[in-house]
Amino acid sequence: MERSRSMLMPPIEVLLEETGSKFILVSLAAKRARQINEYRSRLGDGLGTLIPPQMESDAAKSLSLAFDEIAAGKIVPEFREEVVEEPTDDDEPE
Protein backbone atom coordinates (compact mmCIF):
# COMPACT_ATOMS: atom_id res chain seq x y z
CA MET A 1 0.00 0.00 0.00
CA GLU A 2 1.40 3.37 -1.00
CA ARG A 3 1.56 5.93 1.74
CA SER A 4 0.07 9.31 0.90
CA ARG A 5 2.36 12.34 1.10
CA SER A 6 1.64 14.98 3.63
CA MET A 7 0.96 18.48 2.39
CA LEU A 8 3.32 19.73 5.07
CA MET A 9 6.89 20.07 3.90
CA PRO A 10 9.05 19.11 5.69
CA PRO A 11 7.09 16.04 6.78
CA ILE A 12 5.64 16.02 10.28
CA GLU A 13 7.73 12.96 11.15
CA VAL A 14 10.95 14.92 10.57
CA LEU A 15 9.69 17.83 12.66
CA LEU A 16 8.67 15.52 15.50
CA GLU A 17 12.11 13.89 15.48
CA GLU A 18 13.64 17.33 16.05
CA THR A 19 11.25 18.43 18.81
CA GLY A 20 10.02 15.27 20.51
CA SER A 21 6.34 16.18 20.82
CA LYS A 22 3.54 17.93 18.99
CA PHE A 23 3.12 20.47 21.78
CA ILE A 24 6.78 21.50 21.65
CA LEU A 25 6.65 21.64 17.85
CA VAL A 26 3.61 23.93 17.81
CA SER A 27 5.00 26.19 20.54
CA LEU A 28 8.45 26.45 18.96
CA ALA A 29 7.15 27.03 15.43
CA ALA A 30 4.64 29.67 16.55
CA LYS A 31 7.25 31.55 18.58
CA ARG A 32 9.76 31.46 15.72
CA ALA A 33 7.14 32.54 13.16
CA ARG A 34 6.32 35.56 15.34
CA GLN A 35 10.03 36.43 15.51
CA ILE A 36 10.34 36.19 11.71
CA ASN A 37 7.24 38.37 11.23
CA GLU A 38 8.65 40.97 13.63
CA TYR A 39 12.01 40.90 11.84
CA ARG A 40 10.36 41.38 8.44
CA SER A 41 8.10 44.18 9.68
CA ARG A 42 11.02 46.10 11.19
CA LEU A 43 13.45 45.54 8.32
CA GLY A 44 15.18 48.82 7.70
CA ASP A 45 14.72 50.16 11.23
CA GLY A 46 18.30 49.24 12.06
CA LEU A 47 17.36 47.19 15.12
CA GLY A 48 20.10 44.68 15.91
CA THR A 49 18.16 42.69 18.50
CA LEU A 50 15.92 40.85 16.01
CA ILE A 51 16.94 37.42 14.77
CA PRO A 52 16.89 37.12 10.98
CA PRO A 53 15.90 33.90 9.20
CA GLN A 54 18.58 31.28 9.79
CA MET A 55 18.50 29.76 6.30
CA GLU A 56 17.47 30.47 2.75
CA SER A 57 14.10 29.05 1.83
CA ASP A 58 11.53 29.44 -0.90
CA ALA A 59 8.82 29.53 1.79
CA ALA A 60 6.61 32.60 1.50
CA LYS A 61 4.98 32.25 4.91
CA SER A 62 6.85 32.78 8.16
CA LEU A 63 5.41 29.58 9.68
CA SER A 64 6.69 27.53 6.73
CA LEU A 65 10.11 29.11 7.15
CA ALA A 66 9.99 28.28 10.86
CA PHE A 67 9.22 24.63 10.03
CA ASP A 68 12.14 24.58 7.57
CA GLU A 69 14.47 25.96 10.24
CA ILE A 70 13.30 23.38 12.77
CA ALA A 71 13.73 20.50 10.30
CA ALA A 72 17.26 21.73 9.47
CA GLY A 73 18.17 21.82 13.16
CA LYS A 74 18.74 25.59 13.11
CA ILE A 75 16.06 26.20 15.76
CA VAL A 76 15.94 23.78 18.67
CA PRO A 77 13.76 23.64 21.78
CA GLU A 78 15.31 24.70 25.06
CA PHE A 79 14.52 22.44 27.98
CA ARG A 80 14.79 23.73 31.51
CA GLU A 81 15.08 21.31 34.35
CA GLU A 82 12.87 21.94 37.33
CA VAL A 83 14.67 22.08 40.62
CA VAL A 84 12.67 20.37 43.32
CA GLU A 85 13.78 21.36 46.75
CA GLU A 86 13.71 18.66 49.37
CA PRO A 87 12.12 19.74 52.63
CA THR A 88 14.64 20.05 55.43
CA ASP A 89 14.16 19.55 59.15
CA ASP A 90 14.16 23.34 59.58
CA ASP A 91 11.04 23.65 57.37
CA GLU A 92 8.83 21.50 59.60
CA PRO A 93 6.44 23.34 61.96
CA GLU A 94 7.06 22.81 65.66
Side-chain angles (χ1 to χ4, degrees), residues 58-79:
D58 58 349
K61 308 269 183 181
S62 56
L63 185 58
S64 298
L65 180 54
F67 284 145
D68 289 343
E69 290 179 347
I70 292 169
K74 302 283 185 183
I75 306 296
V76 295
E78 181 180 289
F79 298 103

Side-chain angles (χ1 to χ4, degrees), residues 15-29:
L15 295 168
L16 288 175
E17 285 176 13
E18 293 293 326
T19 57
S21 79
K22 290 178 185 177
F23 176 78
I24 294 171
L25 172 61
V26 169
S27 299
L28 186 62

Side-chain angles (χ1 to χ4, degrees), residues 5-49:
R5 280 185 62 101
S6 170
M7 289 179 61
L8 179 64
M9 285 296 166
I12 189 76
E13 294 82 13
V14 173
L15 295 168
L16 288 175
E17 285 176 13
E18 293 293 326
T19 57
S21 79
K22 290 178 185 177
F23 176 78
I24 294 171
L25 172 61
V26 169
S27 299
L28 186 62
K31 180 178 180 179
R32 182 62 184 137
R34 284 191 300 273
Q35 289 174 346
I36 293 169
N37 279 337
E38 185 176 0
Y39 173 79
R40 287 180 176 168
S41 71
R42 293 188 179 188
L43 211 55
D45 286 350
L47 301 175
T49 59

